[in-house]
Amino acid sequence: MRDRGILSASDLQKPLNKIVYAFMVLCIAVMAFTMLYPIAMTMFNGLKSTQEINSFPPRFFPTEWHWDNFPKGWNYIDLPLFLKNTLMIFAGNLVVTIMVLGLAAFSISRIKVPFHRAIYFFILMTLFIPASSYMIPSFVNLKELGLLNTYWAFWLPAGANAYFFLLIKNFFDGIHPEIFEAARIDGASELSSYTRIAIPLSIPIFATLAIFIFSTAWNDWFWPSLVMQTQDKYTLATAIYKYVINARNLDGSTRFTILFMVMIPPIFVFLVFQKFIMRSVSLGAVKG
């Protein structure tokens, strides 16, 4: 059965509805154009010569297609190294989210630890603290612990993400408690209930959080440039900012090819996991 919109075929025949419908389609087309235009412009500029990029009036399509610009951009910086660092941060943050935040949310939601309401509201209050206010204390703590220039500078703070904690707790609240009660009757421990029941049932929320974590690891450049002090530890975003965006002697075609290659992976991640992204819209509402 085909999904039906809010307007039927007969409703669309009314003049006013036609005007409103056409205006909505126009808004969607403008929004799609503004989103796709920068990506297309970056790709086509990467296929132009440097002289054509700087020419006036500018052209959208290149007059000559310089496919050799992509090997030049790939070899300009060590993209595989920076990609590996980014994926290491993503994988560690995901594991910490599942093991630390997941266990904490399970304890508050299902085990009902002492003072669980006070703990829950305390974590909820931390959402109203600006991130810039605890950035310096976090840096000082990591420095005192000797964790600067290591992946733990990302993995350790990942275990204190209040927003992810609340999303996981809300999901656990929606799981029927009879499942865990049956497991306890069969002799399962709380840890066993979490690993064998809660985690398999929570694949949607963890997949959604994986998208959030990947987006943060891929796009964030300020915090990695602050805690990673050697080139071999830079993330992809930090390397792009330092060696591509701020480079003065880099020709424009190579710059655009690098930027376009960095744009591609997040687009594929969105296309593959878009159903989880849509699900995250409904999970974003935090219940009390």
Side-chain angles (χ1 to χ4, degrees), residues 211-223:
I211 297 170
F212 291 160
I213 295 170
F214 176 82
S215 177
T216 302
W218 193 268
N219 297 320
D220 188 21
W221 65 270
F222 181 75
W223 180 251

Side-chain angles (χ1 to χ4, degrees), residues 16 26 42 44 48 145 156 183 207-208:
L16 181 60
L26 178 62
T42 303
F44 289 129
K48 298 177 182 177
L145 293 172
L156 193 62
T208 301

Side-chain angles (χ1 to χ4, degrees), residues 41 51 60 68 80 90 98 109 120 133 150 175 197 199 216 249 264 278:
M41 179 58 74
Q51 293 76 14
F60 185 75
D68 58 320
F90 160 70
I98 295 174
S109 176
Y120 172 75
S133 64
T150 66
I175 301 177
I197 299 176
I199 291 182
T216 302
N249 298 323
I264 297 302
M278 298 300 108

Side-chain angles (χ1 to χ4, degrees), residues 38-255:
I39 300 175
M41 179 58 74
T42 303
M43 180 184 69
F44 289 129
N45 281 345
L47 295 172
K48 298 177 182 177
S49 63
T50 303
Q51 293 76 14
E52 189 176 0
I53 292 175
N54 298 324
S55 64
F56 187 86
R59 294 175 177 268
F60 185 75
F61 296 103
T63 55
E64 295 183 5
W65 301 78
H66 296 268
W67 295 101
D68 58 320
N69 289 338
F70 281 91
K72 291 179 182 178
W74 179 266
N75 297 323
Y76 178 74
I77 58 176
D78 195 351
L79 286 176
L81 172 64
F82 303 132
L83 177 62
K84 184 205 74 171
N85 293 336
T86 302
L87 294 180
M88 285 291 294
I89 293 172
F90 160 70
N93 287 356
L94 182 60
V95 171
V96 171
T97 298
I98 295 174
M99 299 309 299
V100 177
L101 294 180
L103 283 171
F106 186 76
S107 301
I108 299 296
S109 176
R110 290 302 170 197
I111 302 179
K112 305 298 183 183
V113 297
F115 308 106
H116 64 277
R117 287 188 174 274
I119 297 173
Y120 172 75
F121 283 109
F122 174 79
I123 296 176
L124 183 64
M125 285 189 297
T126 61
L127 290 174
F128 298 94
I129 302 176
S132 57
S133 64
Y134 54 78
M135 184 173 297
I136 295 178
S138 298
F139 178 83
V140 173
N141 288 335
L142 293 172
K143 181 179 179 181
E144 295 295 330
L145 293 172
L147 298 179
L148 294 181
N149 207 40
T150 66
Y151 295 129
W152 284 103
F154 299 89
W155 297 344
L156 193 62
N161 192 310
Y163 180 66
F164 289 174
F165 167 84
L166 295 175
L167 288 182
I168 300 172
K169 179 189 176 299
N170 284 343
F171 193 91
F172 286 162
D173 289 343
I175 301 177
H176 293 293
E178 291 82 4
I179 300 176
F180 300 104
E181 293 175 1
R184 294 189 187 99
I185 293 174
D186 291 339
S189 63
E190 301 298 344
L191 182 60
S192 182
S193 297
Y194 174 72
T195 55
R196 297 185 179 183
I197 299 176
I199 291 182
L201 292 176
S202 304
I203 295 299
I205 181 61
F206 287 130
T208 301
L209 294 181
I211 297 170
F212 291 160
I213 295 170
F214 176 82
S215 177
T216 302
W218 193 268
N219 297 320
D220 188 21
W221 65 270
F222 181 75
W223 180 251
S225 64
L226 192 64
V227 298
M228 293 302 196
Q229 301 169 348
T230 57
Q231 179 178 342
D232 62 311
K233 293 292 186 178
Y234 284 165
T235 62
L236 192 60
T238 302
I240 294 297
Y241 178 76
K242 287 182 176 291
Y243 303 132
V244 178
I245 302 298
N246 288 340
R248 296 184 178 181
N249 298 323
L250 179 63
D251 59 273
S253 58
T254 305
R255 190 193 308 269

